[in-house]
Amino acid sequence: MKSTLMKTLLCAFALVILFSCNSNKNDEILNYTTDTTLGISRVNLKEISKKIPVDKILKEKKNIQAEEKLFLQLVNKPEESGIDIDKPLYLLVDQGKTNSEFDVKSFLWINDKAKFQKSMTDLTKTKVTIDNKDHIYIGGKLAGSMKGDMAIMVSEKAYNPYGGYNSAMPEGSERINDKYFADFWARKGSKNAAIKEQVNNSLVGNKDVSGWVNLAAVASFASKGYIETLAINKLIKDSGIGFDFNFDKGKADMETKTFFNSDMKKIVEKYYDKNKVNYDLVKNVELDNAKSYSIGFFSLDFMRYLVKESGFEATVNHYLASSNKSLEDITSTFTGDYAFVDFKVKQDTADYYNYRSDNAIVLGFNPKNKATLTSLMDQYLTSAGKRYVVTDNQVIVSENPEVLSQFQGEKAGKNSTLDKKSGVMSYSWSDGKDYNQRENPPVKVISMTNESKEDSGNLLSKTVFTLDKKDENALYYLLMND
């Protein structure tokens, strides 16, 4: 698997690591955060620089990329770069000129222009200068601007989420010019109290990496403005998502939290009135033979409400009409309790995993609607070669006859990896094998767990990655494993 979790984490981390923060306040960045800002990231550079043995990585890692080397050298001695590491540095993402491009700006405070120019020139091997108008040039091209000691830097290339940085600029045009920076410094920050509160609660100083996503702005960006025409738009207005990463020896964890508006909180509380997982769903499934599984609850009434508010209920019912079913039939048949299990699959002579499908889905259902359940199963599953077994209030779908037989015979499964967490609405576990698909990796993920819950109308989630080596910080292994 080319795109491993390690590489994904490194790319995400490397994107924000250069634009970090070590302040508990975010007042200055809020002066330039608008209602349409897509998101902001920050990293605690002081702590990060202590956690990465840069000299060791530079010595040990083969075929190191230029971008990685630049990042490591910056992290190695940030105080010598002319950057004020006692002040926050940020990565701010706005929508670009089109609905398919991001405009990414980095914020930093420069306390020594001479050091900054020299260190950046040495690191990039390209001449970096600051002129008497406080414009920053890289290789003779305008790349940044200063206002007092605060600086922003941008790329001439706009970032396309589907294709990376877009170097195809129209001939004779320039994205970055004097007007670009003048307009930015003149912009007014949002007066929305909800946005300010979300940013301050998300961008925290006690985590290695943290960030905030403007949910309403991202939905508008992704839908090209269509979301504003739907009734559901009122539920995501003034809503956001906060996240943070923390890295320790042999372990990394990530937490996310939603910031829904009052209307959405009421809806979530109404449909998610319990943080309880039905672990009986997997008592007759062999989880010790799984490489990953997830157990939890998803409110189908909540889904139906969102479909209705989005204006798609008629479309869904029209699709289901051929089977004489409706959305109401489905939401009243299933309870929302689910389990998904992805089993290990070994080849005959080698002890490693391949990608042949071998999984099972277990769903809870209302016994009163058993006839509707079997009708749905027969129409949408057996025609595709799937098989299922129905018990009193559960149904399992799988292509593996042994899995079906064990479930039907109510034979207890060996589930030593299952941690029956209470007070959560979902729990998942993975042995990490899918994330270690490379030859002789220096470190492997041996487990990944996630738990999520509802709290006063918001959704909270925590993911923990555990590595098979613990003598160095997880960041060292993640960087070495790229």
Side-chain angles (χ1 to χ4, degrees):
M1 181 194 239
K2 249 180 168 180
S3 178
T4 64
L5 172 66
M6 299 295 191
K7 188 169 183 179
T8 301
L9 282 176
L10 175 63
C11 290
F13 176 66
L15 182 64
V16 298
I17 191 68
L18 301 180
F19 318 111
S20 59
C21 171
N22 194 42
S23 170
N24 291 323
K25 296 182 179 180
N26 302 289
D27 294 344
E28 290 167 296
I29 194 69
L30 281 169
N31 289 332
Y32 301 97
T33 301
T34 70
D35 292 345
T36 57
T37 294
L38 299 176
I40 309 172
S41 298
R42 100 180 195 184
V43 179
N44 187 338
L45 187 57
K46 277 188 175 179
E47 291 302 315
I48 289 296
S49 62
K50 298 174 185 176
K51 294 183 175 183
I52 306 178
V54 175
D55 292 336
K56 183 178 180 180
I57 294 176
L58 291 173
K59 181 179 179 180
E60 295 177 355
K61 188 167 186 180
K62 308 298 181 185
N63 303 320
I64 190 167
Q65 300 296 314
E67 295 83 359
E68 290 180 295
K69 189 173 183 180
L70 170 61
F71 152 63
L72 290 170
Q73 290 171 322
L74 260 179
V75 171
N76 194 27
K77 297 178 181 179
E79 69 277 5
E80 297 180 10
S81 66
I83 298 174
D84 185 354
I85 61 172
D86 289 323
K87 300 221 32 171
L89 292 87
Y90 300 87
L91 178 72
L92 185 146
V93 183
D94 288 319
Q95 181 177 319
K97 291 184 177 180
T98 71
N99 283 83
S100 60
E101 292 180 342
F102 294 145
D103 185 13
V104 184
K105 309 172 184 68
S106 60
F107 276 69
L108 61 157
W109 277 257
I110 299 174
N111 58 12
D112 191 317
K113 293 181 181 179
K115 277 187 177 181
F116 179 81
Q117 292 173 89
K118 183 180 185 306
S119 64
M120 292 300 107
T121 297
D122 292 342
L123 288 173
T124 63
K125 306 302 180 185
T126 305
K127 186 69 173 177
V128 176
T129 59
I130 303 175
D131 67 11
N132 57 7
K133 294 182 179 180
D134 280 339
H135 288 163
I136 303 172
Y137 293 86
I138 299 179
K141 291 186 177 181
L142 184 61
S145 172
M146 293 186 65
K147 182 180 181 181
D149 60 350
M150 185 169 71
I152 61 169
M153 297 184 68
V154 296
S155 171
E156 178 63 42
K157 304 171 185 177
Y159 185 80
N160 186 310
Y162 305 103
Y165 280 98
N166 178 17
S167 59
M169 298 295 295
E171 187 175 352
S173 69
E174 290 184 349
R175 192 173 82 90
I176 308 304
N177 50 38
D178 287 352
K179 186 178 184 304
Y180 176 93
F181 292 113
D183 289 345
F184 179 80
W185 292 124
R187 71 195 264 181
K188 303 297 182 182
S190 173
K191 294 182 179 180
N192 189 323
I195 286 180
K196 294 179 180 180
E197 182 180 4
Q198 290 173 31
V199 170
N200 280 322
N201 288 335
S202 300
L203 304 182
V204 292
N206 61 346
K207 298 291 185 177
D208 292 336
V209 181
S210 59
W212 167 76
V213 176
N214 186 343
L215 187 58
V218 170
S220 178
F221 173 81
S223 68
K224 303 186 187 303
Y226 178 67
I227 192 74
E228 282 91 340
T229 68
L230 304 177
I232 196 175
N233 189 57
K234 70 177 185 291
L235 298 179
I236 62 173
K237 181 178 173 58
D238 296 337
S239 295
I241 300 174
F243 65 88
D244 58 65
F245 289 88
N246 218 47
F247 301 93
D248 208 337
K249 285 196 172 183
K251 184 177 73 171
D253 63 71
M254 177 183 74
E255 295 186 16
T256 62
K257 52 189 173 184
T258 64
F259 300 100
F260 291 137
N261 62 38
S262 58
D263 288 341
M264 186 63 163
K265 285 180 182 179
K266 291 176 183 177
I267 298 300
V268 172
E269 283 187 297
K270 177 181 178 180
Y271 293 116
Y272 285 91
D273 58 350
K274 65 174 184 176
N275 279 315
K276 186 177 180 180
V277 175
N278 181 9
Y279 292 106
D280 285 345
L281 287 173
V282 293
K283 68 180 181 180
N284 304 128
V285 180
E286 203 80 6
L287 295 186
D288 283 2
N289 193 39
K291 57 181 178 179
S292 66
Y293 56 81
S294 180
I295 311 168
F297 169 76
F298 177 77
S299 173
L300 293 167
D301 289 329
F302 179 65
M303 179 194 74
R304 184 186 176 197
Y305 177 85
L306 294 181
V307 169
K308 184 176 181 179
E309 289 296 301
S310 301
F312 294 122
E313 185 175 27
T315 301
V316 173
N317 283 330
H318 177 73
Y319 171 77
L320 295 171
S322 60
S323 58
N324 295 317
K325 300 295 185 301
S326 67
L327 185 59
E328 167 66 22
D329 292 329
I330 294 175
T331 56
S332 62
T333 295
F334 296 99
T335 64
D337 297 305
Y338 70 87
F340 178 81
V341 185
D342 196 7
F343 295 103
K344 302 173 185 176
V345 180
K346 295 182 180 180
Q347 292 187 349
D348 294 337
T349 59
D351 187 13
Y352 64 89
Y353 296 55
N354 63 30
Y355 294 98
R356 181 171 63 82
S357 174
D358 190 2
N359 51 51
I361 300 175
V362 187
L363 302 172
F365 72 91
N366 183 348
K368 295 180 180 179
N369 292 2
K370 189 172 182 178
T372 301
L373 171 75
T374 55
S375 176
L376 287 168
M377 295 292 107
D378 288 338
Q379 181 162 2
Y380 292 103
L381 292 176
T382 55
S383 61
K386 300 282 186 180
R387 300 174 60 190
Y388 69 93
V389 167
V390 178
T391 60
D392 291 339
N393 56 7
Q394 297 171 7
V395 58
I396 186 171
V397 180
S398 178
E399 295 179 359
N400 190 324
E402 293 181 6
V403 171
L404 295 173
S405 177
Q406 178 174 356
F407 192 84
Q408 188 171 33
E410 298 184 356
K411 178 183 176 182
K414 297 177 182 179
N415 296 339
S416 63
T417 61
L418 177 61
D419 186 358
K420 294 184 178 181
K421 293 278 186 178
S422 60
V424 300
M425 67 178 185
S426 69
Y427 175 78
S428 64
W429 175 90
S430 170
D431 65 5
K433 293 294 193 301
D434 279 346
Y435 309 116
N436 302 322
Q437 300 296 323
R438 63 175 296 177
E439 187 176 355
N440 300 319
V443 67
K444 296 180 180 180
V445 175
I446 58 174
S447 75
M448 182 182 74
T449 62
N450 173 271
E451 56 189 77
S452 61
K453 64 181 180 179
E454 180 271 333
D455 182 25
S456 300
N458 282 312
L459 304 177
L460 312 180
S461 174
K462 181 175 182 178
T463 303
V464 178
F465 305 90
T466 304
L467 308 180
D468 65 346
K469 294 182 180 179
K470 300 182 180 180
D471 51 330
E472 293 283 359
N473 188 278
L475 278 171
Y476 164 76
Y477 298 115
L478 292 173
L479 291 167
M480 288 297 292
N481 204 45
D482 178 48

